[in-house]
Amino acid sequence: MILNHIWGLYAHPKDEWHDIDDHQETVSHSLTHVALMALIPALCCYFSAVHLGWQVGNGEPIMLTMRSGIWMASAMYLALIVAVVLLAVLALWMARTFGADPNMSQTLELAAYTATPLFMTGFAALYPVMWFIMLVGLLGLAWSIYLLYTGIPILMHIPEEQGFIYASSMVTCGLVLLVCLMAGTVLVWDWGLGPVFTS
């Protein structure tokens, strides 16, 4: 089953990483996992932005038009998939520096399963209140970082000391990707493809 590791990543992450390592998946399997998981934030954000409205402070809910919501959700979906693949490529590129010799399948598994808690936080968008979404997002981010630090030594077959430095480098790369994604969003909005509100 494609989504069979999700519960284990929350309940017993180290054991689950060992299981993932023992039953190495193909690149297409990991990409399918990412494609399915990326639907969660994209669809939940679409539904809340178009049908529920985002609550900022005590003002009226802010809503998007359906066409704008579809455009934003589609762009978000593609950006999430590209970000995970780029993170896997960066992990593969950095691997030799830390004495690891993974293949693309291993680094994609690492990126896909590490991103899973962040994708799951997309459900929080169904209660579109900013403080709640930020809180859930921070919890998801913290768990993803924990999974990265515990998963790298296991999947890359390197000592924990090297894994810590490797994971720290990956967190830095993830932050750089996030900044690039935000800059790309600003550029796209500047080209006239930004959100269109109902009122």
Side-chain angles (χ1 to χ4, degrees):
M1 231 178 107
I2 289 171
L3 304 176
N4 60 347
H5 295 293
I6 294 175
W7 172 248
L9 291 172
Y10 287 100
H12 42 82
K14 285 190 176 179
D15 292 338
E16 201 62 34
W17 279 124
H18 282 292
D19 188 48
I20 291 167
D21 186 45
D22 292 340
H23 304 97
Q24 196 175 108
E25 299 164 351
T26 62
V27 169
S28 62
H29 190 281
S30 296
L31 285 174
T32 304
H33 174 84
V34 173
L36 288 174
M37 294 304 295
L39 283 172
I40 294 171
L43 291 177
C44 290
C45 286
Y46 165 79
F47 182 79
S48 65
V50 173
H51 300 289
L52 300 176
W54 286 75
Q55 190 72 38
V56 181
N58 293 327
E60 290 294 315
I62 300 169
M63 300 175 75
L64 297 179
T65 63
M66 187 175 288
R67 182 176 179 177
S68 182
I70 290 171
W71 159 247
M72 301 298 277
S74 301
M76 177 189 212
Y77 179 70
L78 290 174
L80 290 172
I81 293 172
V82 168
V84 171
V85 171
L86 286 176
L87 201 58
V89 170
L90 286 169
L92 185 64
W93 176 69
M94 289 190 300
R96 292 180 193 270
T97 306
F98 299 99
D101 189 25
N103 55 38
M104 185 62 187
S105 178
Q106 287 171 294
T107 58
L108 191 56
E109 277 182 320
L110 177 70
Y113 289 116
T114 297
T116 296
L118 282 173
F119 290 145
M120 297 291 283
T121 62
F123 285 119
L126 296 176
Y127 181 65
V129 177
M130 292 304 286
W131 68 265
F132 176 74
I133 292 169
M134 288 183 69
L135 177 63
V136 173
L138 284 173
L139 291 173
L141 178 63
W143 197 254
S144 284
I145 291 173
Y146 173 74
L147 287 178
L148 183 66
Y149 277 91
T150 56
I152 280 183
I154 296 167
L155 286 186
M156 301 296 119
H157 306 286
I158 57 176
E160 286 194 16
E161 299 78 23
Q162 287 177 299
F164 181 83
I165 299 168
Y166 192 167
S168 299
S169 301
M170 289 292 298
V171 169
T172 304
C173 288
L175 291 173
V176 170
L177 280 174
L178 180 62
V179 170
C180 291
L181 187 63
M182 292 170 73
T185 302
V186 170
L187 287 174
V188 169
W189 286 14
D190 192 45
W191 296 335
L193 298 172
V196 179
F197 302 100
T198 55
S199 59

